[in-house]
Amino acid sequence: MRKPVLIVGAGPVGMTLAMALRRRGVAVRIVDKAAARTDKSKALVLWARTLEMLDIEGCAAPFVQAGLPAGGVHIQEAGGKPLLDVSFSTARSVYKFALMLPQSETERLLEEELGRLQVRVERSTELLSFQDSEGGIVASIKHADGLVEAFPASWIAGCDGAHSTVRHALGAAFEGDTSPSDFLLADVEVDGEVARDALTICWAADGIAAFFPIDGSRMRVVADCGPSAPTERSAPTLEEVQAIVDQRGPAGLRLRDPVWLSSFRINERKVRDYRHGRVFLAGDAAHVHSPAGGQGMNTGMQDAFNLAWKLALVWHDRAAPALLDSYSAERSAIGDQVLRNAGNMTRVAMMRNPVLQEIRRLAAHNLGRVPALRQHMVDQLSEVDLHYRDSPLTLRHAGAASGPAPGDRAADVALLKPADGSTRLHEVLRTGKFAVLSVGVPPVELPAALRDIAAPVEGIASTDYPSGHVWLVRPDAYVATGTSGRHPSEIVAALERLVLRPGAVSGLPGA
């Protein structure tokens, strides 16, 4: 009997990983030292790419129903004079919005999904230590009653946040720095004229004020307070937040009934390697960065989706263990990209130099006039531009279509002939298999040995998928490779190379 995967941390990342693994038939155990899931709003937005991956899991609808779709971003000067409006209506996804959903709700929905999969989160249960050997993991787990259990696992996934016990046990350096500037956060009721269906960011001479809709009149207000002493700043009062909103925000706003008031500093830190033998790091345990762009939780959940399909194939002996090496290579590169983008957005927002602020104002004004630049901003925020073009799993062949190119996101597409009841590409990927997607050419004949890891399907030609080509689409909806319909054998060879069972063919990875 195969040993379960032990997941440490039952936040959005850990529960996403548990859900994705269990759907693929992997035994899991998920523990968290906290007695209950969070009751705070914390991470507040789900972007299009994360929603697409939840759609692959078959559970995006409850999240969309529970959240508030925000249709764009308004950037203004203090007092409300508009500088730039960006609409998410051009997002290259069916999810043309930022879904505003408190983390407490995201966790509730994920735990409900786990319940449907017969997985129980073990709370008040703490990982004390673990030993990693060739035969597996032995973890020491302490229960609420003080009982210490020795638990054998196949792998451990540390999804236990910025102060990760798993990362500390590994001795993995959390490289980076902390910004000297203080920020305040307030989840409050807001009366007055401010968009309730979009994000509003106000640039003022002394800093920014950002407004994020949550539900009804409830909003999150975030503002920077500039550098201060190295001692930890206390939570702001409602009066302090109101004073900053009066100076920087749209005129006439009144704050009341605070739900959460907090201060924080921005950390930009990351581990170098996400894999250490049989131990993996994901989410804030591997990377923390500026909240600009609201992509921290999304990046962590996408870590989980990336790791899940690889662990599932290896756990079921359908792929070589070497496949797991690609997790760190791929997600570390994404972590670097998100750190860089979020850091740049933060630095632009926090400019204090009057000359640079004027350049910023002119740049925002001109950005609104260039559709390609607005589209780039939408693609970056919605995360549909994330890619694995430099991944060791990405293969290139002559004759491949210009898009989607190897390493790029594979958009969902309707199928010409439903396969096993599936009418869309995402539904095929839900099985945890690769999809061999043919458009305008006959479906690829797969050898019997590959049919339990890949499904041949025919898609309808579109601007996303031009006729005459074949794509090998990974279970997380990224293109592994593509080729002309005249060379289907290249797809079969690529599939064998990527997920080859140990010893099946000598000379290939994992053999």
Side-chain angles (χ1 to χ4, degrees):
M1 183 175 179
R2 296 180 179 89
K3 300 172 186 175
V5 175
L6 176 62
I7 300 169
V8 182
V13 178
M15 286 197 282
T16 296
L17 180 59
M19 174 185 68
L21 285 173
R22 195 70 202 101
R23 283 194 199 283
R24 289 156 181 78
V26 177
V28 299
R29 186 172 181 184
I30 179 168
V31 302
D32 196 303
K33 63 182 179 181
R37 62 174 182 260
T38 186
D39 60 353
K40 301 291 192 298
S41 53
K42 292 187 177 180
L44 194 56
V45 60
L46 288 172
W47 290 107
R49 189 55 177 149
T50 303
L51 290 170
E52 288 179 346
M53 291 188 172
L54 288 170
D55 180 52
I56 291 172
E57 297 300 315
C59 63
F63 291 84
V64 175
Q65 291 165 5
L68 171 69
V73 179
H74 303 317
I75 298 180
Q76 307 174 352
E77 293 183 292
K81 182 180 178 181
L83 286 173
L84 173 65
D85 286 337
V86 176
S87 171
F88 297 143
S89 63
T90 64
R92 295 183 292 117
S93 172
V94 297
Y95 302 104
K96 298 182 183 299
F97 49 81
L99 185 68
M100 310 308 294
L101 185 67
Q103 183 174 324
S104 54
E105 283 295 281
T106 296
E107 292 190 11
R108 177 184 66 81
L109 292 166
L110 286 169
E111 191 160 7
E112 288 178 358
E113 286 297 318
L114 287 180
R116 282 187 274 273
L117 294 167
Q118 307 300 308
V119 176
R120 180 180 64 87
V121 176
E122 299 179 50
R123 301 198 181 276
S124 300
T125 304
E126 182 179 3
L127 175 72
L128 297 178
S129 62
F130 58 85
Q131 292 182 326
D132 182 1
S133 66
E134 187 175 342
I137 294 279
V138 177
S140 178
I141 298 173
K142 183 178 180 180
H143 295 268
D145 60 3
L147 177 68
V148 176
E149 171 192 5
F151 178 71
S154 54
W155 292 279
I156 284 184
C159 307
D160 48 343
H163 303 289
S164 170
T165 297
V166 176
R167 187 185 68 246
H168 285 301
L170 291 170
F174 215 21
E175 299 172 349
D177 52 38
T178 300
S179 167
S181 291
D182 288 314
F183 284 75
L184 62 79
L185 177 153
D187 282 0
V188 294
E189 302 294 322
V190 179
D191 298 325
E193 295 298 321
V194 62
R196 309 290 174 168
D197 59 354
L199 317 181
T200 302
I201 301 172
C202 300
W203 288 343
D206 61 343
I208 67 161
F211 301 83
F212 304 90
I214 299 177
D215 183 28
S217 61
R218 184 182 170 197
M219 304 191 79
R220 171 171 296 174
V221 180
V222 176
D224 70 299
C225 306
S228 66
T231 56
E232 185 173 342
R233 180 186 175 97
S234 59
T237 65
L238 182 62
E239 291 73 22
E240 289 173 327
V241 182
Q242 180 70 65
I244 287 180
V245 169
D246 289 343
Q247 293 169 357
R248 305 176 187 176
L253 297 186
R254 288 293 172 264
L255 313 184
R256 57 181 173 83
D257 302 331
V259 177
W260 185 26
L261 297 169
S262 181
S263 294
F264 65 93
R265 284 183 176 173
I266 292 173
N267 284 286
E268 294 184 331
R269 299 183 184 277
K270 178 178 164 293
V271 295
R272 184 170 301 175
D273 298 309
Y274 288 25
R275 182 188 184 188
H276 297 256
R278 291 179 174 270
V279 183
F280 302 90
L281 298 171
D284 285 357
H287 49 79
V288 293
H289 48 77
S290 165
Q295 293 175 317
M297 181 181 69
N298 289 262
T299 302
M301 291 172 73
Q302 290 174 41
D303 290 344
F305 288 124
N306 182 291
L307 180 58
W309 71 266
K310 297 170 183 178
L311 270 177
L313 286 173
V314 175
W315 194 85
H316 287 295
D317 291 330
R318 294 173 182 164
L323 176 65
L324 299 175
D325 290 335
S326 66
Y327 168 68
S328 184
E330 290 185 342
R331 295 310 298 173
S332 181
I334 293 294
D336 288 336
Q337 181 180 339
V338 173
L339 273 167
R340 184 169 56 251
N341 290 344
N344 288 339
M345 283 189 279
T346 300
R347 284 183 282 276
V348 168
M350 292 174 59
M351 286 177 176
R352 292 289 197 277
N353 185 298
V355 175
L356 294 179
Q357 287 182 341
E358 178 61 17
I359 293 173
R360 178 183 69 181
R361 188 187 68 79
L362 292 172
H365 181 69
N366 290 328
L367 177 62
R369 297 181 175 181
V370 183
L373 294 177
R374 289 202 311 272
Q375 187 62 50
H376 174 74
M377 184 175 179
V378 171
D379 290 347
Q380 182 176 306
L381 286 172
S382 61
E383 300 183 321
V384 299
D385 67 340
L386 296 176
H387 62 82
Y388 298 126
R389 292 172 198 151
D390 299 321
S391 165
L393 301 187
T394 298
L395 309 174
R396 291 172 177 81
H397 294 102
S402 58
D408 286 356
R409 159 185 167 270
D412 196 16
V413 63
L415 302 182
L416 187 61
K417 297 177 181 178
D420 298 327
S422 300
T423 61
R424 298 184 293 122
L425 176 62
H426 279 187
E427 293 173 353
V428 174
L429 301 179
R430 194 169 297 164
T431 64
K433 293 183 177 182
F434 284 75
V436 180
L437 175 65
S438 301
V439 177
V441 294
V444 175
E445 286 288 334
L446 293 177
L450 297 178
R451 290 174 192 165
D452 60 348
I453 60 172
V457 295
E458 295 181 75
I460 297 174
S462 65
T463 53
D464 287 323
Y465 297 98
S467 183
H469 296 274
V470 183
W471 291 266
L472 178 60
V473 181
R474 301 165 19 155
D476 57 352
Y478 286 91
V479 176
T481 194
T483 186
S484 159
R486 297 187 299 273
H487 304 287
S489 61
E490 292 176 341
I491 296 291
V492 175
L495 188 57
E496 289 177 333
R497 176 182 170 187
L498 292 174
V499 296
L500 189 68
R501 292 177 184 81
V505 178
S506 62
L508 290 176

